[in-house]
Amino acid sequence: VRRTGSVTADGVPFLDRMAHRRRLAEQVFVTRRDLIPILALFVYTTGWNVETIKELTTAHRVIEGVAVEVSLIKRRRGPGKWHDSATWEIGKPGQELRTPGGLYLLLLDLMAPARDLLDDRPYWAVWLGAGRFGPDRVGNPFQGALNTEVSNRDWIAGHNLRSDEHRPECGTAGDTRSERTDLRLSFPRLKKSVDVRRTRAVGGHLPSATRSNTVPVLFRNY
């Protein structure tokens, strides 16, 4: 599987082939189904918008083992694109999911098996599969478009994630019972929540867009 990127399902009943091949591929590669939680972690730890996260490259520089400098691109702002760089803390071993630099390097390693099969060696390299019939393929899911083709709602429902909000249950008149609703995952809303929390932590407030419509602010937020 690692040498070719293709998973066979010989002897497996027809209706079970997709699930069987995906289970095997998940032992070697990051898959499309992993993208939503990975993107959510990146937005939460870095504070950058999800479109910029999808444009991450392998170009980086580790600084004295405590931070990593990465190159950032904004694709949707014209043919010239916008470029920037960020320095992210790596953190302690075993804490990679808590720091942006640690997460960047961890995913760099986890996606290496798929990246080794691609000529352009993008940062995002996942197993894409090919339905019930081959050939399987690996690739950058954001190469052609920034859409993940994976539903936030489906991922939340699959993990039965619930919000703190409640809604009344359908029943007889006067029924005061309520049930928890599905968690709503919006990447722009998540980023803004991170911005608000960090700004409050240092005793400040978020400036309005009319007073902060500069290139750096646009790059980070829109």
Side-chain angles (χ1 to χ4, degrees):
V1 170
R2 183 161 186 165
R3 185 176 65 254
T4 65
S6 182
V7 183
T8 60
D10 297 336
V12 178
F14 179 77
L15 295 179
D16 297 332
R17 288 180 182 176
M18 284 185 64
H20 172 78
R21 290 164 58 196
R22 184 175 60 246
R23 285 195 298 268
L24 291 181
E26 288 173 340
Q27 307 304 311
V28 181
F29 303 113
V30 172
T31 70
R32 193 190 295 274
R33 296 205 310 173
D34 300 319
L35 291 176
I36 298 300
I38 289 174
L39 292 173
L41 269 173
F42 262 117
V43 173
Y44 173 74
T45 57
T46 67
W48 283 85
N49 62 72
V50 71
E51 286 81 10
T52 300
I53 296 301
K54 293 174 182 178
E55 299 281 16
L56 284 175
T57 69
T58 57
H60 70 281
R61 178 171 66 97
V62 177
I63 304 173
E64 297 181 0
V66 298
V68 57
E69 184 181 72
V70 299
S71 299
L72 303 176
I73 302 173
K74 186 70 171 177
R75 180 193 306 183
R76 297 193 300 174
R77 293 295 171 182
K81 303 181 181 180
W82 288 359
H83 295 262
D84 201 352
S85 62
T87 303
W88 291 338
E89 176 190 2
I90 294 176
K92 299 179 180 179
Q95 301 293 315
E96 288 86 358
L97 301 184
R98 299 178 181 271
T99 60
L103 182 62
Y104 173 87
L105 295 176
L106 174 65
L107 266 297
L108 188 70
D109 288 341
L110 288 178
M111 292 188 286
R115 189 178 303 111
D116 290 341
L117 299 175
L118 301 173
D119 293 335
D120 53 349
R121 300 186 64 80
Y123 180 82
W124 294 101
V126 306
W127 187 80
L128 300 173
R132 291 189 176 90
F133 305 99
D136 296 333
R137 61 191 180 94
V138 297
N140 178 1
F142 309 123
Q143 183 173 11
L146 297 183
N147 180 25
T148 62
E149 297 184 12
V150 178
S151 167
N152 294 11
R153 184 176 300 177
D154 290 345
W155 177 75
I156 288 169
H159 290 274
N160 195 31
L161 301 181
R162 303 291 182 176
S163 73
D164 293 331
E165 300 176 358
H166 289 72
R167 65 184 177 190
E169 289 185 358
C170 297
T172 59
D175 191 346
T176 59
R177 294 178 303 169
S178 64
E179 63 177 2
R180 296 178 64 185
T181 61
D182 288 342
L183 180 70
R184 290 180 294 173
L185 175 60
S186 164
F187 288 118
R189 186 175 180 181
L190 174 61
K191 184 199 177 305
K192 185 171 183 179
S193 297
V194 173
D195 289 339
V196 169
R197 177 177 297 181
R198 291 180 175 176
T199 303
R200 288 176 177 174
V202 297
H205 66 279
L206 285 176
S208 66
T210 58
R211 287 180 293 153
S212 59
N213 226 13
T214 62
V215 169
V217 171
L218 288 171
F219 187 97
R220 286 183 63 91
N221 295 280
Y222 303 104

